[in-house]
Amino acid sequence: MTRIDPEALVASLRGLQRASEATGVVHHLERIVRVVDRLFGYAGAGLMFADEGKMLRYLVTTDEAGRSLEHAQAAIGRGPCVSAYFNNTAVTTRDVQVDERWPGLADLLHPSVRAVAGVPVRLGDGPVGTLNVYQAEPHEWEDSDTQALLAYAHVIEEVLAAAVKAEEKSALADQLQYALDYRIVIERAIGYLMGKHDLTAAQAFTGLRKRARDSRRRVADLAAEILGEQAPPG
């Protein structure tokens, strides 16, 4: 963990808590995750939510290597983020690539995903997802690391609670489901471009994003066009 000024941490949390709701709940959550990644200097950060089948899926992720945490844990049904969600507690690992608690997980992870920490995000009676970070090298997590992550998870919980208060819970669920759906479309387009042009995931995503920006379109719309599909409405 990169050491930061405690005053900067407090100022960051206060700023996020005062952020305008006009940006929309999903954009607000994206901002929080990117602040966590930038402020602490992690290799990557992400926010997962559980779908109807209790499968954790990324709503926000700062990089493609970290996304392998979602795919690997979905494939074998276990891992640090899954444990944080189902046990409703912070879970850390110095090096997930050799951690014997989750056999088979390392075979499916990106090699740069090493130290992982995850904390539950709660709404109402229990967890609805997890806030996760990872380092590209083995790392001994300290209590201050998890306490800081829990503080940001609490800000996320406040955002969700305010959204539920402002509108029906079903409407919030629809917003989050839409965000998950259009990320699946983008991911499928990335896979298609990787296979067609022999690209890495990072190269495919960078090219897709640049093309969307140059044509002043949403990445999801362009991804859907590439796949010959209609983008999810919203």
Side-chain angles (χ1 to χ4, degrees):
M1 170 178 174
T2 301
R3 297 298 175 186
I4 64 170
D5 185 342
E7 293 184 0
L9 173 60
V10 173
S12 171
L13 289 168
R14 287 177 176 171
L16 290 170
Q17 288 169 327
R18 292 194 302 266
S20 170
E21 296 178 3
T23 58
V25 61
V26 174
H27 288 166
H28 198 163
L29 296 176
E30 289 175 340
R31 180 186 175 196
I32 294 170
V33 172
R34 290 187 172 86
V35 166
V36 170
D37 183 48
R38 182 175 65 252
L39 191 62
F40 291 89
Y42 296 120
L47 176 62
M48 289 182 175
F49 277 94
D51 61 17
E52 293 181 356
K54 300 298 183 183
M55 183 76 71
L56 286 175
R57 294 167 53 194
Y58 267 123
L59 180 72
V60 184
T61 181
T62 58
D63 65 293
E64 286 302 313
R67 189 175 290 278
S68 68
L69 273 168
E70 175 189 0
H71 299 310
Q73 292 176 110
I76 69 171
R78 56 184 178 269
C81 307
V82 173
S83 295
Y85 172 73
F86 281 105
N87 296 327
N88 193 16
T89 189
V91 174
T92 65
T93 172
R94 180 181 183 276
D95 188 353
V96 71
Q97 300 283 348
V98 297
D99 199 314
E100 296 181 353
R101 286 177 290 178
W102 308 293
L105 184 65
D107 297 336
L108 304 175
L109 286 175
H110 191 284
S112 66
V113 178
R114 303 297 296 271
V116 177
V119 298
V121 173
R122 307 177 181 97
L123 182 62
D125 297 332
V128 294
T130 59
L131 175 63
N132 319 293
V133 295
Y134 80 91
Q135 297 278 36
E137 299 292 338
H139 175 75
E140 295 289 351
W141 300 100
E142 300 177 3
D143 184 60
S144 58
D145 293 307
T146 54
Q147 290 303 313
L149 286 177
L150 286 168
Y152 280 98
H154 182 63
V155 174
I156 292 172
E157 292 161 2
E158 290 181 341
V159 171
L160 296 174
V164 170
K165 185 177 180 180
E167 52 191 307
E168 293 296 328
K169 189 172 183 178
S170 60
L172 172 61
D174 288 343
Q175 287 187 42
L176 298 178
Q177 187 61 51
Y178 168 72
L180 291 172
D181 288 344
Y182 82 69
R183 279 170 171 75
I184 290 176
V185 173
I186 293 172
E187 186 171 308
R188 289 179 58 197
I190 289 172
Y192 171 78
L193 293 172
M194 289 171 63
K196 183 176 181 180
H197 301 294
D198 193 24
L199 301 173
T200 65
Q203 290 170 334
F205 179 69
T206 299
L208 184 67
R209 184 170 54 186
K210 182 179 185 302
R211 184 174 162 187
R213 184 170 58 245
D214 291 345
S215 60
R216 297 184 179 180
R217 302 167 63 191
R218 296 191 313 167
V219 175
D221 292 336
L222 179 58
E225 180 181 293
I226 289 173
L227 294 171
E229 300 175 354
Q230 183 178 358

